[in-house]
Amino acid sequence: QVQLVESGGGLVQAGGSLRLSCAATGRTFSPDRMGWFRQTPGKGREFVSSIRWSFGISYYADSVKGRFTISRDNAKNTVYLQMNSLKPEDTAVYYCAVAMQGSGPYENWGQGTQVTVSS
């Protein structure tokens, strides 16, 4: 089973930046896509961004377009989320996830990393 480990969360002031990383274990790793989600007590879990592994094509929620950038390093089995111009409403626990097959759901999830943005 693929294991995902997130890192890079922390405390930051509004307008600041953070970069999240998600490293996948495994000798070989060729997923269809990886994604970032976030969860808050009030809003629940919501989609943030995803990337197709083979082509690098990316997708973003409207709420983060222009501020967040997803990328991946195939050789390192790692996906990143560069978060700029952070807002208090970005405060959440961020999770990465992997979908191994193109028509399949996200199957494996990381443990989450807390991002807190102060005003």
Side-chain angles (χ1 to χ4, degrees):
Q1 181 173 295
V2 175
Q3 300 288 323
L4 304 175
V5 181
E6 301 102 331
S7 62
L11 298 169
V12 65
Q13 287 187 309
S17 299
L18 288 171
R19 190 178 78 155
L20 305 184
S21 299
C22 176
T25 63
R27 304 167 193 86
T28 60
F29 186 66
S30 299
D32 176 72
R33 64 197 185 278
M34 294 188 70
W36 287 97
F37 297 78
R38 63 189 182 187
Q39 186 166 330
T40 63
K43 298 179 66 176
R45 184 172 60 199
E46 63 176 339
F47 169 79
V48 176
S49 182
S50 66
I51 188 166
R52 293 291 181 92
W53 206 250
S54 295
F55 301 102
I57 185 170
S58 58
Y59 308 86
Y60 298 93
D62 288 341
S63 59
V64 305
K65 283 182 179 177
R67 300 189 297 118
F68 291 10
T69 303
I70 191 170
S71 61
R72 86 291 194 240
D73 188 328
N74 301 62
K76 295 182 178 180
N77 295 346
T78 301
V79 64
Y80 305 94
L81 186 68
Q82 178 67 47
M83 305 186 295
N84 298 324
S85 301
L86 283 162
K87 305 174 180 179
E89 50 263 45
D90 295 318
T91 296
V93 178
Y94 284 71
Y95 299 88
C96 67
V98 59
M100 296 303 296
Q101 301 187 71
S103 60
Y106 286 97
E107 299 170 323
N108 300 96
W109 297 77
Q111 83 285 359
T113 185
Q114 177 71 48
V115 172
T116 302
V117 184
S118 62
S119 60

